[in-house]
Amino acid sequence: MDDDASPDADNQAGRPTRRRALMLGAVGAASVVSIRPALAQTAGSVLACDIPVPDAGRAGKYISADGNVVPPGTAGAFPPPGRPLKGEEVRRALAGGSNLPGYDYERSRAYLKYVQRLQRGTAGFTCFASVQMLRK
């Protein structure tokens, strides 16, 4: 006989039946098993994501020492990197205060300031936001 269809079901309103408790326990265990690999996979994809410096709409512009996008040839500004920065590179440089791979201190700081100023809707923002969440 089904626990939920028993004559005492009306008297047990609000109290979970044994069957329902067992089902909830099984669902909870399955959730834990499936969430952990998903989180690991998400962390891996976040670290491999790209952050273009600057975004495609401002391609060819330079990055000033304070992270602003400026016209090419501006004194003290740096040409954009030859490729987008990887999330893992940005995470390491921000967490450890180190340089981005292949760049000197001043250029690394300018690029990182640019990345930290990214706004929602700008290419690379989602990657940077995800990297920030991993740092905590």
Side-chain angles (χ1 to χ4, degrees), residues 1-17:
M1 180 178 241
D2 188 11
D3 286 345
D4 293 336
S6 70
D8 295 343
D10 289 341
N11 295 339
Q12 295 179 0
R15 279 192 336 177
T17 64

mmCIF file of all heavy atoms in Angstrom, residues 1-17:
data_model
loop_
_atom_site.group_PDB
_atom_site.id
_atom_site.type_symbol
_atom_site.label_atom_id
_atom_site.label_comp_id
_atom_site.label_asym_id
_atom_site.label_seq_id
_atom_site.Cartn_x
_atom_site.Cartn_y
_atom_site.Cartn_z
ATOM 1 N N MET A 1 0.856 -1.181 0.000
ATOM 2 C CA MET A 1 0.000 0.000 0.000
ATOM 3 C C MET A 1 0.887 1.223 0.000
ATOM 4 O O MET A 1 1.892 1.266 0.699
ATOM 5 C CB MET A 1 -0.905 -0.026 1.220
ATOM 6 C CG MET A 1 -1.813 1.164 1.300
ATOM 7 S SD MET A 1 -2.883 1.046 2.720
ATOM 8 C CE MET A 1 -4.442 1.023 1.932
ATOM 9 N N ASP A 2 0.516 2.245 -0.729
ATOM 10 C CA ASP A 2 1.290 3.468 -0.867
ATOM 11 C C ASP A 2 1.174 4.301 0.401
ATOM 12 O O ASP A 2 0.077 4.541 0.903
ATOM 13 C CB ASP A 2 0.756 4.239 -2.086
ATOM 14 C CG ASP A 2 1.619 5.425 -2.435
ATOM 15 O OD1 ASP A 2 2.723 5.528 -1.884
ATOM 16 O OD2 ASP A 2 1.169 6.237 -3.276
ATOM 17 N N ASP A 3 2.319 4.745 0.952
ATOM 18 C CA ASP A 3 2.322 5.557 2.172
ATOM 19 C C ASP A 3 1.477 6.813 2.011
ATOM 20 O O ASP A 3 0.804 7.247 2.935
ATOM 21 C CB ASP A 3 3.740 5.977 2.538
ATOM 22 C CG ASP A 3 4.551 4.836 3.109
ATOM 23 O OD1 ASP A 3 3.972 3.810 3.489
ATOM 24 O OD2 ASP A 3 5.771 4.998 3.181
ATOM 25 N N ASP A 4 1.531 7.444 0.819
ATOM 26 C CA ASP A 4 0.818 8.697 0.613
ATOM 27 C C ASP A 4 -0.690 8.499 0.518
ATOM 28 O O ASP A 4 -1.451 9.418 0.747
ATOM 29 C CB ASP A 4 1.308 9.388 -0.684
ATOM 30 C CG ASP A 4 2.754 9.849 -0.542
ATOM 31 O OD1 ASP A 4 3.176 10.061 0.603
ATOM 32 O OD2 ASP A 4 3.424 9.980 -1.580
ATOM 33 N N ALA A 5 -1.131 7.283 0.138
ATOM 34 C CA ALA A 5 -2.550 7.025 -0.038
ATOM 35 C C ALA A 5 -3.162 6.335 1.186
ATOM 36 O O ALA A 5 -4.274 5.875 1.130
ATOM 37 C CB ALA A 5 -2.771 6.163 -1.275
ATOM 38 N N SER A 6 -2.471 6.243 2.281
ATOM 39 C CA SER A 6 -2.988 5.559 3.464
ATOM 40 C C SER A 6 -4.132 6.362 4.065
ATOM 41 O O SER A 6 -4.228 7.564 3.883
ATOM 42 C CB SER A 6 -1.870 5.362 4.496
ATOM 43 O OG SER A 6 -1.505 6.598 5.053
ATOM 44 N N PRO A 7 -5.005 5.692 4.799
ATOM 45 C CA PRO A 7 -6.139 6.396 5.398
ATOM 46 C C PRO A 7 -5.682 7.456 6.395
ATOM 47 O O PRO A 7 -6.393 8.396 6.654
ATOM 48 C CB PRO A 7 -6.943 5.299 6.093
ATOM 49 C CG PRO A 7 -6.244 4.012 5.841
ATOM 50 C CD PRO A 7 -5.050 4.271 5.026
ATOM 51 N N ASP A 8 -4.480 7.300 6.943
ATOM 52 C CA ASP A 8 -3.984 8.267 7.917
ATOM 53 C C ASP A 8 -3.304 9.455 7.246
ATOM 54 O O ASP A 8 -2.757 10.313 7.926
ATOM 55 C CB ASP A 8 -2.991 7.603 8.873
ATOM 56 C CG ASP A 8 -3.640 6.540 9.742
ATOM 57 O OD1 ASP A 8 -4.873 6.525 9.841
ATOM 58 O OD2 ASP A 8 -2.898 5.743 10.322
ATOM 59 N N ALA A 9 -3.303 9.541 5.931
ATOM 60 C CA ALA A 9 -2.601 10.608 5.223
ATOM 61 C C ALA A 9 -3.120 11.973 5.637
ATOM 62 O O ALA A 9 -2.359 12.920 5.757
ATOM 63 C CB ALA A 9 -2.723 10.435 3.713
ATOM 64 N N ASP A 10 -4.437 12.079 5.862
ATOM 65 C CA ASP A 10 -4.995 13.366 6.270
ATOM 66 C C ASP A 10 -4.501 13.745 7.656
ATOM 67 O O ASP A 10 -4.281 14.923 7.943
ATOM 68 C CB ASP A 10 -6.520 13.320 6.270
ATOM 69 C CG ASP A 10 -7.093 13.256 4.858
ATOM 70 O OD1 ASP A 10 -6.356 13.603 3.908
ATOM 71 O OD2 ASP A 10 -8.267 12.878 4.722
ATOM 72 N N ASN A 11 -4.305 12.768 8.534
ATOM 73 C CA ASN A 11 -3.825 13.037 9.889
ATOM 74 C C ASN A 11 -2.347 13.417 9.893
ATOM 75 O O ASN A 11 -1.869 14.019 10.842
ATOM 76 C CB ASN A 11 -4.048 11.820 10.794
ATOM 77 C CG ASN A 11 -5.514 11.531 10.998
ATOM 78 O OD1 ASN A 11 -6.362 12.405 10.816
ATOM 79 N ND2 ASN A 11 -5.824 10.291 11.370
ATOM 80 N N GLN A 12 -1.614 13.032 8.830
ATOM 81 C CA GLN A 12 -0.177 13.278 8.787
ATOM 82 C C GLN A 12 0.169 14.512 7.954
ATOM 83 O O GLN A 12 1.307 14.708 7.575
ATOM 84 C CB GLN A 12 0.554 12.064 8.207
ATOM 85 C CG GLN A 12 0.439 10.838 9.062
ATOM 86 C CD GLN A 12 1.151 9.667 8.432
ATOM 87 O OE1 GLN A 12 1.729 9.773 7.363
ATOM 88 N NE2 GLN A 12 1.116 8.525 9.107
ATOM 89 N N ALA A 13 -0.814 15.322 7.627
ATOM 90 C CA ALA A 13 -0.556 16.506 6.792
ATOM 91 C C ALA A 13 0.536 17.345 7.450
ATOM 92 O O ALA A 13 0.505 17.602 8.648
ATOM 93 C CB ALA A 13 -1.832 17.317 6.628
ATOM 94 N N GLY A 14 1.513 17.764 6.642
ATOM 95 C CA GLY A 14 2.609 18.567 7.177
ATOM 96 C C GLY A 14 3.792 17.737 7.623
ATOM 97 O O GLY A 14 4.876 18.257 7.793
ATOM 98 N N ARG A 15 3.587 16.435 7.849
ATOM 99 C CA ARG A 15 4.688 15.557 8.246
ATOM 100 C C ARG A 15 5.108 14.752 7.045
ATOM 101 O O ARG A 15 4.278 14.106 6.410
ATOM 102 C CB ARG A 15 4.241 14.590 9.349
ATOM 103 C CG ARG A 15 4.246 15.172 10.705
ATOM 104 C CD ARG A 15 4.085 14.148 11.788
ATOM 105 N NE ARG A 15 3.423 12.908 11.365
ATOM 106 C CZ ARG A 15 3.246 11.875 12.156
ATOM 107 N NH1 ARG A 15 3.656 11.890 13.378
ATOM 108 N NH2 ARG A 15 2.655 10.795 11.715
ATOM 109 N N PRO A 16 6.416 14.767 6.692
ATOM 110 C CA PRO A 16 6.854 13.962 5.549
ATOM 111 C C PRO A 16 6.749 12.473 5.864
ATOM 112 O O PRO A 16 7.000 12.043 6.976
ATOM 113 C CB PRO A 16 8.309 14.370 5.351
ATOM 114 C CG PRO A 16 8.725 14.996 6.633
ATOM 115 C CD PRO A 16 7.488 15.504 7.303
ATOM 116 N N THR A 17 6.346 11.719 4.872
ATOM 117 C CA THR A 17 6.283 10.276 5.042
ATOM 118 C C THR A 17 7.696 9.719 4.932
ATOM 119 O O THR A 17 8.615 10.389 4.468
ATOM 120 C CB THR A 17 5.393 9.640 3.961
ATOM 121 O OG1 THR A 17 6.001 9.875 2.697
ATOM 122 C CG2 THR A 17 3.985 10.194 3.986
#
